[in-house]
Amino acid sequence: MEDLKFRKLTDQKGWVVSLELAGALILPNAQQLKKELIAISSSLNSTVKITISEPEEIDLSCIQLIKAFINQMDKLKIEYQIEWLIDEEQRLLLEHVGMSDELFLKINYV
C-alpha cells in the first residue's frame, strides 16, 4: 500500500498557495491527513489551489476531512480551486455518497 503524499507550495512570504494530496487517502492515513491540514490552516494564502492527484485509494474518512477543510476555508473567506485527478471508479464513489457537488467535482480523468 502506498503512503499518503501531502505537498504544499508557499509564496515568498510563507503563505500556503497550493496543496497536493495523493497516495493512499484511506482510514489508516486519516489521522496524518488531519494533522497536516490543521498544521497549515493558519498559514493559508487568501487564494489556495488544492489538487487531489491520482490517489492510489480514497475512502469516506479522507473525503470527510477534505470537506471539513473546505468548510474551514469558507469560514475564513479563503478562495480556493479544487482539481480532482481521479479515475472513473473514484468519481462514482463521490457521486454515490452525494458529495460530488459539495466537493466541486470537476473531473479530469486519468
Side-chain angles (χ1 to χ4, degrees), residues 25-30 33 58-66:
L25 298 170
I26 55 174
L27 184 59
N29 294 330
L33 177 59
I58 189 167
D59 71 14
L60 195 53
S61 64
C62 288
I63 292 168
Q64 289 174 323
L65 285 172
I66 293 167

Side-chain angles (χ1 to χ4, degrees), residues 77-92:
K77 298 188 184 336
I78 293 173
E79 293 182 26
Y80 51 87
Q81 174 188 355
I82 303 174
E83 183 175 25
W84 294 86
L85 303 175
I86 59 178
D87 63 28
E88 176 68 11
E89 184 178 314
Q90 294 162 339
R91 182 191 65 78
L92 287 173

Side-chain angles (χ1 to χ4, degrees), residues 18-95:
S18 178
L19 295 175
E20 182 180 354
L21 307 176
L25 298 170
I26 55 174
L27 184 59
N29 294 330
Q31 189 64 32
Q32 179 186 353
L33 177 59
K34 179 180 176 182
K35 181 179 164 184
E36 298 282 3
L37 292 172
I38 289 171
I40 66 157
S41 63
S42 63
S43 60
L44 295 172
N45 191 39
S46 60
T47 303
V48 177
K49 179 180 180 185
I50 302 169
T51 304
I52 290 72
S53 176
E54 303 176 22
E56 183 70 26
E57 298 176 78
I58 189 167
D59 71 14
L60 195 53
S61 64
C62 288
I63 292 168
Q64 289 174 323
L65 285 172
I66 293 167
K67 177 59 180 146
F69 187 67
I70 291 168
N71 291 344
Q72 182 65 21
M73 288 190 300
D74 284 338
K75 287 180 186 176
L76 296 172
K77 298 188 184 336
I78 293 173
E79 293 182 26
Y80 51 87
Q81 174 188 355
I82 303 174
E83 183 175 25
W84 294 86
L85 303 175
I86 59 178
D87 63 28
E88 176 68 11
E89 184 178 314
Q90 294 162 339
R91 182 191 65 78
L92 287 173
L93 169 67
L94 294 174
E95 283 184 5

